[in-house]
Amino acid sequence: MNNFRLSSYVIDVPLKKEQNKHMIIHGYTGAIDIVSKEIIIFLQKNKDKLGQGIFPYSESTWNTLVKRGYITIKTQSEEIDHTRNLA
């Protein structure tokens, strides 16, 4: 199984008007999404072991998080190289 992990470029912004929602922003894909507080807590607690088959949310949610770059198979150094190449 792939070594999925939480991207090092995820910015988490709790929404003040909606206590159970967070805006997540991806630093190099430009993705911006609203997720539940539970999802961001899960991602942060399991940031380095997301590919171990334990994801308590829908497959659709998983696929969206991967497609938009929040969950990646790139290592931290690969992400740094990628952003360096983008710049």
Side-chain angles (χ1 to χ4, degrees):
M1 180 167 268
N2 290 324
N3 292 322
F4 287 100
R5 55 182 275 283
L6 182 64
S7 170
S8 301
Y9 291 84
V10 173
I11 302 163
D12 171 32
V13 182
L15 298 179
K16 291 181 181 180
K17 292 186 178 185
E18 295 185 57
Q19 292 181 2
N20 293 321
K21 299 286 183 181
H22 286 232
M23 177 172 55
I24 53 174
I25 304 164
H26 194 279
Y28 63 78
T29 68
I32 300 172
D33 292 280
I34 305 297
V35 298
S36 70
K37 181 179 179 178
E38 292 79 17
I39 289 176
I40 196 65
I41 289 170
F42 175 84
L43 292 173
Q44 291 170 342
K45 284 184 178 180
N46 297 281
K47 64 183 176 180
D48 293 320
K49 54 185 175 181
L50 291 170
Q52 296 180 356
I54 302 169
F55 188 72
Y57 306 99
S58 72
E59 184 177 346
S60 173
T61 298
W62 172 266
N63 291 337
T64 299
L65 292 170
V66 171
K67 180 180 178 183
R68 297 178 65 73
Y70 304 114
I71 296 173
T72 184
I73 59 171
K74 290 182 175 99
T75 64
Q76 186 175 18
S77 64
E78 288 172 335
E79 281 195 300
I80 291 168
D81 289 343
H82 181 73
T83 56
R84 188 175 293 130
N85 289 335
L86 286 174

